[in-house]
Amino acid sequence: MTEKYSDYTVPGLAKENGHEVAGLLQGRLHALNDLHLVLKHIHWNVVGPNFIAVHEMLDPQTELVRGFADEIAERIATLGGAPSGLSGELVDSRTWKDYPLFKADAVTHLAELDKVYSGVIEDHRDVLGKVGQIDPITEDLIIGQVKQLELFQWFIRSHIERS
Amino acid sequence: MTEKYSDYTVPGLAKENGHEVAGLLQGRLHALNDLHLVLKHIHWNVVGPNFIAVHEMLDPQTELVRGFADEIAERIATLGGAPSGLSGELVDSRTWKDYPLFKADAVTHLAELDKVYSGVIEDHRDVLGKVGQIDPITEDLIIGQVKQLELFQWFIRSHIERS
Amino acid sequence: MTEKYSDYTVPGLAKENGHEVAGLLQGRLHALNDLHLVLKHIHWNVVGPNFIAVHEMLDPQTELVRGFADEIAERIATLGGAPSGLSGELVDSRTWKDYPLFKADAVTHLAELDKVYSGVIEDHRDVLGKVGQIDPITEDLIIGQVKQLELFQWFIRSHIERS
Amino acid sequence: MTEKYSDYTVPGLAKENGHEVAGLLQGRLHALNDLHLVLKHIHWNVVGPNFIAVHEMLDPQTELVRGFADEIAERIATLGGAPSGLSGELVDSRTWKDYPLFKADAVTHLAELDKVYSGVIEDHRDVLGKVGQIDPITEDLIIGQVKQLELFQWFIRSHIERS
Amino acid sequence: MTEKYSDYTVPGLAKENGHEVAGLLQGRLHALNDLHLVLKHIHWNVVGPNFIAVHEMLDPQTELVRGFADEIAERIATLGGAPSGLSGELVDSRTWKDYPLFKADAVTHLAELDKVYSGVIEDHRDVLGKVGQIDPITEDLIIGQVKQLELFQWFIRSHIERS
Amino acid sequence: MTEKYSDYTVPGLAKENGHEVAGLLQGRLHALNDLHLVLKHIHWNVVGPNFIAVHEMLDPQTELVRGFADEIAERIATLGGAPSGLSGELVDSRTWKDYPLFKADAVTHLAELDKVYSGVIEDHRDVLGKVGQIDPITEDLIIGQVKQLELFQWFIRSHIERS
Amino acid sequence: MTEKYSDYTVPGLAKENGHEVAGLLQGRLHALNDLHLVLKHIHWNVVGPNFIAVHEMLDPQTELVRGFADEIAERIATLGGAPSGLSGELVDSRTWKDYPLFKADAVTHLAELDKVYSGVIEDHRDVLGKVGQIDPITEDLIIGQVKQLELFQWFIRSHIERS
Amino acid sequence: MTEKYSDYTVPGLAKENGHEVAGLLQGRLHALNDLHLVLKHIHWNVVGPNFIAVHEMLDPQTELVRGFADEIAERIATLGGAPSGLSGELVDSRTWKDYPLFKADAVTHLAELDKVYSGVIEDHRDVLGKVGQIDPITEDLIIGQVKQLELFQWFIRSHIERS
Amino acid sequence: MTEKYSDYTVPGLAKENGHEVAGLLQGRLHALNDLHLVLKHIHWNVVGPNFIAVHEMLDPQTELVRGFADEIAERIATLGGAPSGLSGELVDSRTWKDYPLFKADAVTHLAELDKVYSGVIEDHRDVLGKVGQIDPITEDLIIGQVKQLELFQWFIRSHIERS
Amino acid sequence: MTEKYSDYTVPGLAKENGHEVAGLLQGRLHALNDLHLVLKHIHWNVVGPNFIAVHEMLDPQTELVRGFADEIAERIATLGGAPSGLSGELVDSRTWKDYPLFKADAVTHLAELDKVYSGVIEDHRDVLGKVGQIDPITEDLIIGQVKQLELFQWFIRSHIERS
Amino acid sequence: MTEKYSDYTVPGLAKENGHEVAGLLQGRLHALNDLHLVLKHIHWNVVGPNFIAVHEMLDPQTELVRGFADEIAERIATLGGAPSGLSGELVDSRTWKDYPLFKADAVTHLAELDKVYSGVIEDHRDVLGKVGQIDPITEDLIIGQVKQLELFQWFIRSHIERS
Amino acid sequence: MTEKYSDYTVPGLAKENGHEVAGLLQGRLHALNDLHLVLKHIHWNVVGPNFIAVHEMLDPQTELVRGFADEIAERIATLGGAPSGLSGELVDSRTWKDYPLFKADAVTHLAELDKVYSGVIEDHRDVLGKVGQIDPITEDLIIGQVKQLELFQWFIRSHIERS
């Protein structure tokens, strides 16, 4: 078997602090990996008169979330950890279930996806509170992700809201 | 719950045949989804003097494999199925375990990745033999994927081969 | 008047075989020329709340179908034939009527267009069966077109399907 | 305070004529500045199942209208005037009220926007009739803008029309 | 069956005038649709030592003419009409026959194409005279097309002219 | 009339807090909308030997400020508010007057614009202090804007400063 | 020697009318050829503190004027004439002298260039009046050029005007 | 000396089968390497009135053929062979002579090149028949090359054919 | 001699605070200028089997660091200081020596460069702590730089770490 | 009147030497200015079956020659001279006449253009011999131009040569 | 058979001198054609842990060398010769043997390739000395090639050198 | 410590000659490294009415000079030397002082920069005379740099020259 921690963390930070932050980020990495799989899953299973608009709206978001996963994983490694991108570990450690829908119309999917986003954002904000004490660089990275995730959630909510 | 099959398949094919092919492709979709997660995992965990070359070699392949997953999933939908891109279903139905390495040098990772590729390609060629009887369009799609997967496996093998 | 057949076909094929395949492809060329005119016609006549999404979804498909017509026509010429792209000959030889709708909403148009696609794809698959015996190059070209036409038909069907 | 008129106009035109045309164009500049603010306002406030399609349809039009404002303002300057792009002057001199809606669905917004476009186009055509006698260059510039504004109004109308 | 006229035309124009212009433009739409089919037909059938130059010269012109058809059709819709892009209606209503040549050398084709262009341009100029009274926007649109069609006809004529 | 607040705010924030931040941002949206109108106004009215350099320097800044307005408005909507982009509301609620100059040379305009920027930046920093307590995401967004606004103000000041 | 007129003009125009317009355009071609040479001459000879701004401002205008010369020349050919782009004929037939300055500062050059533009634009407007009776296509082409030439003259004038 | 075969072939194929296919492909690699050298040779030596058209027509084809050589060579390596790209081995093993022409006009060169293409295509189709039994991936790769080679041969034939 | 401080700082900040921050940033500017010189120095002097990978890995980082120097210098100026980019002042005021290696292999260079990065990052984090009290805009700017510098240090460390 | 010489030349060269080279280059500037006018003239007047190929072949060369004129003129200025780009001075000082042809076919024009190129190149080589003694920078600049002019002359000659 | 020499050479050079230089360049053309075949050969046959870095490093160099062959060949033609790009003539006239390696690791291949480069560069410098007396244009062309070949040889040497 | 000379130089040159040229180039590398630092320094410190024009004019030149430093350094390495890019060695070995200005207006900075350029160019021309005897490749490289440096110096001089 291979090691999970290097003997360093970033300069100017105590090693145990750096590794603690890396540990908190691992949960965020699993969440983001699951999220981009779900976004693709909906991309393939949405039906009904708004098919094409929703189908195309999801792809740039998928790209963004995949980039966020990469950013988190490389931060873990930078802090001296060994990021896990493995599906088995993801499923074992997550606190939520598989997304429940297959073929369904746009509004049904978006209402469900809204819940997924609320979960991811709440957990991001939770980790944000914890890492802010220790490492302002990681804090800034998470703020940047929350900003984009909340913006996209507004897209979703705008579809399902009625004036 | 939502439906998993539409009432149609592609024109000129019996519905049961179309749905059978869709069923075979679902296994390939899980394999490709797992493969692109593994490629990213190695991208983050490789260390040693060949770090940067291997780190960068994996990204275009990740992009390719993500595109293959998309192509397979949309073919399933075209044939009247409802593609599953969910991590829980992936882990439940797969016949292999999580990738075993974290931090390791390039040659160790590539030797392990070579085995992963052998598994994916053999299963792709196996499905190729089955769908070729029924649907030449799906057959052609899988041939195109195998061609690229084998080419990339040659990249891997060239690294670990000694003259 | 000008000639309709050259004195050659592709190397390695009997001239009468090459010219027979060219003859089968002429029907496909008329079908594709009519199809891209119809796609534009819908692009201009769709109305109602999903106007812009459908209006824009049709244009890349129009480009694709125009490219397919070009590909078929140049294959006819390569095989030694003289491709006809003339509207009068198209209308005289076709086995279907003008597309029946003008101003109509998206779902009505897409339901009608779904039928047009079923017709084109069935005839493509029919010619596929015939040329496969004689010329694997033409067979491969038609497989590539059917793959894309079926994918786009899935787009159409996803709009009119209800979960 | 700074001057509002230069001592020249374009060659071949009497100075008072040039300045008169500049005066007529000032009203059009206010109208276009208000129009691009309104387009953004709707872009932010539209809700419901057609959210993304309408949200994205408005942005290229905003760009176009901003370009038209620039074109009109530089024509005013070219004719020897000093174009006003100020919000206070805009509101003081305009003959219409603020756009009445905030959060509303696509069809409600587009029906309101259709009225805004009718107003802008009618006033453009009115000025067109007046400047055509004096300056064919300005006439041509306005013709070009009306062409685009009418085309976009057709987009709006296609959404709210039912077959 | 679906409707052919909306209950509106562009602001500032009487509805019967707008619809009359739309009617005149329908003939131009059929002419341009036929023209781009003919340009492709020649692209495929030209032979002899100037093959490649003529083959490549026609493609940008095909693109241009397809864009003109789009522009005319969207103007018809803007004016409240329902543009017909259907091949059957095209062939029924046109006043000319199918293009007469198949395989022929460049000069023979270009001499024939010169006649086609003379026909299209004369009819465009004829409609130009009629719509100029009613709608300066449509007039300007047709002027723009004639300018480009004449320029390309000069290309053709330069080929077949001898000093 | 249409509603001004949705029944939600971003996950992890109390609704009244989210709506309070949205209210503070509305003032910033009006300021930025006025600022980009002023930048264009100067772009059109600057004269004298430095005309082209200043004329061109303002356009990228206009683009930036328009993007900032968009960013603020979408944050308001994300927080559950209904952003107002209307000129009438802007003029009613602002605490400053119309920009005072028309035709003037570069240095005179830039000295005046320097004051405008000081006003906008001070108000931004003021809101920054208030929202920082409540929502780190909005805080980060405003910091990013202040950074750019101050950088551009340095450009302005470098022009009017003498060594 | 080679011929100067073809035996045709554009369809729908009497040959003598077409050739008369071509004759009028020849003067404009010489003027534009001289103008782009002068613009480059100033580009090389301007000195003083505004060197770089003026040096760079002239190049896009040179490109534009070269494009106008091309457009006029191809219109002459389209109308059946043989455009002269020769320097000897230019100098023999022109009614003005060589531009008088070499090394000089920006304001001195721009004041001189302003006169050159006044000359070119007046002659363009003069020909515009004459060709408008005969050929609306050429009229529109010249209108388009005057619009741009006047706009650039405003650039020049803005430099030399003082508020 | 270095080895010519690895100890592996692609997954799912017997090693002796994979190496047999690699052996057949070596002949195709020599043929394609010779073909792109010949295409350049003609590019440099063609003269006469069609010089530029032929000179430019050959370059994209050279690029294509160089890409085909690369594709074949990497397939050989993927199958476990060691591709030879050496000129000495090429000349020793080929069954044809050097291209016979130097300076000559376009038609003479193209007639000679037509023969070269017939040779290459016939041998490609011959290998196609043999590998199709063993490896559908290699079969598909060769079909794709034949399609393009035949299309380009049609270009050549269109030049030398007379109607 | 010329002045080193302007009479202003950014709006909303006391002048002595702004100038104090500018002073702290001057040290960071020297460090970044030295760093991009060192990155190029290694780019030229690295040898051994990993030459090309390391040679190319350093160039994007050089670009990044040059951009950081620019960003810091323009922030100093924005705050009212006069940034020094002079090599003599750099060498006089720095607390470290010249980089010690010339020709050496990749691992030796990267181990040395790792130390350089630790120095730069620690000093950046040190200044971060000081400016955070005074100016959140500058704080944000430094956080963004540290994030990238740490990421690149992870690249370096991954090369020299052994699993 | 304005001055023709500055009080400097390039560092390391005697002022009289620099100005002498500038004087020799003035003749080359007139030759290149006349050449690009002639290339456009032929572009407009070529007729016959090779029209489009020659028409298009000349435009990149026109761009190149315009760039050469710019390069020579800026070298004159760099050496302290005041480059003349004026048509009157060009015609007065040149040693050749206007290009003799108008409408003519490709071969006739190219044979004439071949002579023009021989003249320009011989004079360039003549100046090359003279400046080589004095200024290696100017020598290198002229070598670069001759290389391109000779290459293009080969294009011309290849068209008119018969095997 | 076709001719090997035209009746001309470049203006300002004696025909026998031009043809002598063309003769010397023919040897360089064979060397460069062989070199780009060898570069591809290594690209396919390199193995071991530095596979991907070397595999990718060779491709831009292959492109460069192919461009050099083109440049030399077109110079031969410009000088009046008929360049030979034929593999048979290459092998007959060369003074070296086929490259000796197939599958081998990076360092072994690069040590061998270093010798190939030494041979090509020495012969280039030898011809440089001879043509410099006769034709400065050809001299400059070869200098440019040697510069790039030596730079790439440094890449090779840096890999195999140990500090 | 690491070595400063390899055991080779370029093929066809005596090793001591190659190393002597490398030694001469080291001085040029220090000069260019200092020059691009100075260009940035002025970019940050220029003030007054021509700020933006000069600020922007310097950046492309900075890019160019950085590229020249790279080119010189890689030539040193190609010749077998170990290029020094270190700031300490630069300052120790240079024969000039730090650039004397901070905040100053454009004309003052450009007059000072003119002197810097005279110094760099004179030293470049001096080395040019020495290496020309030994190595024509290095000679050509320096000629190319002087050409660009002199051209940019003309830009500077044009700003400070008065007609």
Side-chain angles (χ1 to χ4, degrees), chain A residues 2 6 34 70 87 102-103, chain B residues 2 6 34 40 87 102-103:
Chain A
T2 56
S6 300
D34 217 23
D70 215 48
S87 56
F102 282 81
K103 292 209 175 191
Chain B
T2 56
S6 300
D34 217 23
K40 271 291 176 192
S87 57
F102 282 81
K103 292 210 175 191

Side-chain angles (χ1 to χ4, degrees), chain A residues 15-65:
Chain A
K15 198 164 68 179
E16 60 275 17
N17 286 342
H19 291 190
E20 181 193 346
V21 173
L24 288 164
L25 293 178
Q26 179 61 54
R28 300 298 75 223
L29 177 53
H30 285 321
L32 292 168
N33 267 338
D34 217 23
L35 180 55
H36 71 70
L37 290 171
V38 165
L39 286 164
K40 271 291 177 191
H41 179 82
I42 300 171
H43 175 79
W44 301 322
N45 281 291
V46 65
V47 296
N50 294 301
F51 165 76
I52 195 68
V54 172
H55 182 78
E56 289 183 352
M57 180 181 81
L58 297 174
D59 260 5
Q61 187 67 8
T62 306
E63 279 312 296
L64 209 66
V65 173

Side-chain angles (χ1 to χ4, degrees), chain D residues 24-44:
Chain D
L24 288 164
L25 292 178
Q26 180 60 56
R28 299 299 74 223
L29 177 53
H30 285 321
L32 292 166
N33 266 338
D34 217 23
L35 182 54
H36 71 70
L37 290 170
V38 165
L39 286 163
K40 269 293 175 190
H41 178 84
I42 300 172
H43 175 80
W44 300 323

Side-chain angles (χ1 to χ4, degrees), chain A residues 2 4 6 34 40-41 43-45 66 70 73-74 82-83 85-89 94 98-99 101-103, chain B residues 2 4 6 34 40-41 43-45 66 70 73-74 81-83 85-89 94 98-99 101-103:
Chain A
T2 56
K4 286 219 159 178
S6 300
D34 217 23
K40 271 291 177 191
H41 179 82
H43 175 79
W44 301 322
N45 281 291
R66 284 173 171 172
D70 215 48
E74 300 202 345
L86 303 174
S87 56
E89 297 206 352
R94 73 179 175 187
D98 264 3
Y99 181 84
L101 303 172
F102 282 81
K103 292 209 175 191
Chain B
T2 56
K4 286 219 161 179
S6 300
D34 217 23
K40 271 291 176 192
H41 179 83
H43 175 81
W44 301 322
N45 282 291
R66 284 173 171 171
D70 214 48
E74 300 202 345
L86 304 173
S87 57
E89 297 207 353
R94 72 180 176 184
D98 263 5
Y99 182 84
L101 303 172
F102 282 81
K103 292 210 175 191

Side-chain angles (χ1 to χ4, degrees), chain I residues 86-116:
Chain I
L86 304 174
S87 56
E89 297 206 353
L90 189 171
V91 172
D92 280 357
S93 68
R94 73 180 176 185
T95 57
W96 59 91
K97 302 208 175 143
D98 264 4
Y99 182 85
L101 303 172
F102 282 82
K103 292 210 175 192
D105 67 21
V107 166
T108 311
H109 269 301
L110 294 178
E112 196 63 41
L113 184 59
D114 184 33
K115 293 181 213 157
V116 174

